[in-house]
Amino acid sequence: MLTRSEEDHLKAVYALLQHSDQENGRNRTASTKAIAERLSTKASSVTDMLKKLAEKGLLKHVPYYGVKLSAKGQAAALRLVRKHRLWETFLVERLGFGWNEVHEVAEQLEHVSSDKLTNSLEEYLGHPRFDPHGDPIPDRDGNVQVRSTRPLTRCVVGERVRLAAVKGPNDALLQLLDQKGIGIGMVYHVRSRQVFDGSIELRSKEGQESTVSEQVAAQLLVEPVRP
């Protein structure tokens, strides 16, 4: 059984590699510095932990570049991600938490090791495929559904899109989206884009108009809506 710290480091590596894949279209490595920044800890502590995880066969070290997950490490990381996203879904759908209130609580609950509990939770929720932020929930075999999404900033005026996910959501961003009435699954028409600051004007399917900055739009992942 892994310690909580070991699990946190594995999940941090997984998240960094996922981000690298999305940005570069290929698998790369997670650097010690990036892991330390993500976990808000010292690089020296991360180095020691990475050595332990490598000795357990969970990581592969790439000299001068960083680490990758082994097949064993990938499976362990996906189990953590699965639990985290299921708990976030439970907190929002069953306990009435806001989508900006669940991350820290789910961070604690994801370390409960019972597979029976996790699978029962999934069944209770009706086998959800995505969490409240639009992130895919791995199934019990570690399979992750892949969608073709792109940042709102890459859309052109006149397109109709559905908000599929919020990229790297943080509480401040989610609160802002709540204030604007913007949520996962909503369909928008891209009405205009300002040359001066890149802000984008949206109109929802219900007729609600919203304007988001270029910075916010870059965090909104959308998928096309067919006529």
Side-chain angles (χ1 to χ4, degrees), residues 11-164:
K11 193 154 72 77
V13 173
Y14 174 83
L16 290 167
L17 293 178
Q18 287 296 109
H19 178 71
S20 178
D21 286 349
Q22 293 170 0
E23 292 294 319
N24 304 294
R26 56 181 175 175
N27 188 31
R28 293 200 173 185
T29 58
S31 70
T32 300
K33 179 181 178 181
I35 298 169
E37 290 176 349
R38 188 173 185 87
L39 295 175
S40 300
T41 189
K42 296 180 180 179
S44 58
S45 298
V46 171
T47 299
D48 291 339
M49 178 58 71
L50 296 182
K51 289 180 180 178
K52 292 180 182 178
L53 293 173
E55 290 172 357
K56 292 185 176 184
L58 296 164
L59 295 177
K60 296 179 180 179
H61 182 251
V62 181
Y64 308 108
Y65 287 97
V67 295
K68 292 182 178 181
L69 293 168
S70 66
K72 181 180 177 181
Q74 177 86 353
L78 284 169
R79 284 195 296 271
L80 286 166
V81 171
R82 168 175 161 79
K83 288 186 286 185
H84 184 97
R85 294 176 181 174
L86 282 171
W87 281 119
E88 287 193 333
T89 304
F90 173 76
L91 291 167
V92 170
E93 293 188 0
R94 296 296 191 270
L95 297 186
F97 279 66
W99 66 341
N100 61 307
E101 300 175 315
V102 296
H103 181 72
E104 292 300 325
V105 181
E107 283 283 308
Q108 300 173 48
L109 294 170
E110 71 184 30
H111 296 288
V112 177
S113 61
S114 172
D115 289 334
K116 182 178 180 179
L117 174 61
T118 304
N119 294 335
S120 296
L121 179 62
E122 179 188 39
E123 292 176 7
Y124 174 69
L125 293 170
H127 300 276
R129 294 182 300 165
F130 302 96
D131 74 7
H133 309 114
D135 291 318
I137 300 174
D139 66 19
R140 62 184 65 187
D141 296 319
N143 300 311
V144 180
Q145 183 167 336
V146 178
R147 290 183 295 181
S148 179
T149 62
R150 66 189 191 279
L152 180 59
T153 48
R154 296 185 186 175
C155 295
V156 299
V157 173
E159 276 194 86
R160 290 180 71 245
V161 296
R162 178 183 293 105
L163 179 57

Side-chain angles (χ1 to χ4, degrees), residues 186-201:
M186 296 183 69
V187 174
Y188 294 96
H189 173 236
V190 181
R191 296 198 63 201
S192 66
R193 183 168 186 170
Q194 298 299 319
V195 175
F196 176 69
D197 62 359
S199 60
I200 297 174
E201 183 181 347

Side-chain angles (χ1 to χ4, degrees), residues 202-218:
L202 304 169
R203 175 178 287 174
S204 72
K205 186 177 179 181
E206 296 73 27
Q208 175 186 337
E209 295 188 354
S210 304
T211 300
V212 296
S213 69
E214 185 173 31
Q215 181 181 3
V216 169

